[in-house]
Amino acid sequence: MLARMSLLSSVVLAGCAGSGADASSAAAPQVRDSAGIRLVEHQLEAATLTDSTAWRMDGAPMWRFASVPREAEAELLGIVGATFLADGGLVLTHRSKQELLVLDASGRFVHSIGRAGDGPGEFRTIGAPWRVDGARLGVYDGRPRRTTMLSMQGDVRDSRSVVLPELPDSAQRLWGSPGITADGALLLWVDASARTEPGIDRPARWLVVVDSLGQAKPVGSARAGMERYVMPPGPNGVVSLGFSPFAASPLAAPCGREVITADNQSYAVVRESLDGKITTIIRSPLSPRLADSADYAAAIRAQYPTADVSAESIEPLRRMTPSGLVPVLRSIQCDEAGNVWVEEQPHDNGRWRRLIAYTPAGERRLTVLVPSALRLLAVRSDAIAVLAFDEDGQERVEVYRAPTAAGAP
């Protein structure tokens, strides 16, 4: 019986002005069938900048967007997600204003959707937007546990509260949504453990799907949740949790009407239906490694672009890293054509990371080298959207043209 793999999320991608060899020069994957499941095993080159098939992000973006054309509070603050539209436009989640920003295919601002509040079309903790059935946007609001379906013009088509199914442990805590499928099913991570004993803990976590009728059910069985360090109770009896930037965590993302999952301390991406039927597994022989000072510094800069990265600031992270290992994978995504994009952790002293795209059948499509300081927002088969920062921490969104095939700019 095949072991079920867990899951991940975030950062950047590349403009395609680099040079690279055709992917045919890479070793062919081993493909076999096991009980109707397609197993694709790759022998990837070492994760370094010498990867002969990689495209390095070193050109100018197709366009960038740094401010909203309005009289007050025009600068971007708190961009937490994005999705590409069918016409090449982009929708951004602007959490500081609890709104969506709609841009056209050239990066021009079209209009905003939503605002802070509790009414229809209003949000408290707005999440990343997702394109549903090509004509609607789906958004999950974590604080009221509510999904909202919107037209591209911002009209509310449907809004409903999420009711979780009964899981083996009654202490249910939501850990957010990895996305909404093409037919409007909401994916949620639910931590089903109430353990708070001091020491290393990795509670069970369930991937739950809530369909368009509001019916919720888990996808498969429980998976090992985020590795954490449970602090001893304080004077007031409160227990704190420490999460390292390298804590093992399950990953998931919608892929059309299916879902892809992965365990970020291995390299195995599982494609399955919402009823848990696995169709494809992509594997590669990479393993975690011990974190070093450069890794911790890169992690701080990625989350806080202007942060202090002295030895004193790094040491607390070391104390809350139970395993001391850097996970293999940072995030996974799926584009409109069903290609799977796997983002690895930084390499080359924390300056770069690889993003590898696989076809729906699991074959290697292309590799992109991405600067570690950028955050990946969204992918298309031919474009990549990232979040970049100025020296003063000012946010901007950039979109780069991606190769549509290895060896082609």
Side-chain angles (χ1 to χ4, degrees), residues 300-386:
I300 295 173
R301 289 194 185 99
Q303 187 166 4
Y304 307 103
T306 60
D308 171 30
V309 290
S310 64
E312 291 75 16
S313 65
I314 288 175
E315 188 56 33
L317 292 178
R318 291 190 186 279
R319 291 199 298 269
M320 68 174 68
T321 304
S323 68
L325 294 176
V326 178
V328 168
L329 302 181
R330 184 179 177 94
S331 68
I332 53 176
Q333 286 202 36
C334 188
D335 66 28
E336 81 289 352
N339 300 307
V340 174
W341 297 74
V342 176
E343 182 189 12
E344 295 177 356
Q345 290 290 339
H347 302 288
D348 189 34
N349 204 28
R351 293 182 298 158
W352 297 85
R353 62 170 54 89
R354 288 196 307 187
L355 186 89
I356 304 175
Y358 296 92
T359 68
E363 298 163 351
R364 188 180 183 187
R365 182 170 173 263
L366 62 96
T367 301
V368 181
L369 293 174
V370 180
S372 294
L374 300 177
R375 299 184 192 177
L376 177 63
L377 291 175
V379 294
R380 275 179 57 94
S381 59
D382 60 353
I384 299 163
V386 302

Side-chain angles (χ1 to χ4, degrees), residues 27-77:
Q30 298 295 314
V31 182
R32 56 191 175 93
D33 183 88
S34 176
I37 299 174
R38 180 180 173 88
L39 302 176
V40 187
E41 301 195 34
H42 294 264
Q43 298 295 321
L44 291 181
E45 299 178 39
T48 68
L49 300 186
T50 61
D51 188 328
S52 62
T53 65
W55 285 87
R56 189 186 302 212
M57 178 180 171
D58 58 4
M62 292 191 293
W63 53 262
R64 57 170 52 93
F65 178 77
S67 62
V68 184
R70 54 189 173 204
E71 294 181 0
E73 300 181 36
E75 294 183 342
L76 301 183
L77 176 63

Side-chain angles (χ1 to χ4, degrees), residues 85-251:
L85 301 177
D87 62 1
L90 194 68
V91 179
L92 306 171
T93 295
H94 194 204
R95 182 166 285 179
S96 65
K97 303 293 289 184
Q98 299 298 327
E99 65 183 354
L100 302 177
L101 304 176
V102 181
L103 312 180
D104 67 15
S106 62
R108 288 190 294 265
F109 175 76
V110 179
H111 60 83
S112 63
I113 298 173
R115 61 183 180 183
D118 297 307
E122 297 178 339
F123 307 97
R124 286 297 179 189
T125 54
I126 189 172
W130 299 90
R131 185 156 58 94
V132 178
D133 289 336
R136 292 182 296 161
L137 293 170
V139 180
Y140 175 68
D141 191 353
R143 187 173 298 177
R145 297 187 181 183
R146 183 175 63 195
T147 57
T148 301
M149 295 295 169
L150 302 154
S151 71
M152 295 298 175
Q153 291 71 42
D155 300 320
V156 176
R157 297 292 178 82
D158 182 53
S159 182
R160 66 182 71 223
S161 298
V162 173
V163 179
L164 294 177
E166 184 175 346
L167 298 175
D169 191 314
S170 60
Q172 298 179 7
R173 289 174 289 186
L174 287 179
W175 282 87
S177 170
I180 297 174
T181 66
D183 53 358
L186 172 71
L187 302 175
L188 288 171
W189 280 118
V190 180
D191 184 345
S193 172
R195 288 176 55 194
T196 55
E197 295 87 350
I200 297 174
D201 189 14
R202 199 173 182 191
R205 186 172 291 187
W206 294 82
L207 181 62
V208 172
V209 58
V210 184
D211 66 23
S212 58
L213 299 178
Q215 300 297 311
K217 63 179 181 179
V219 178
S221 56
R223 307 154 200 245
M226 177 173 283
E227 190 178 51
R228 64 194 187 184
Y229 189 83
V230 183
M231 312 296 184
N236 57 0
V238 176
V239 175
S240 299
L241 301 178
F243 294 97
S244 164
F246 307 117
S249 177
L251 305 172

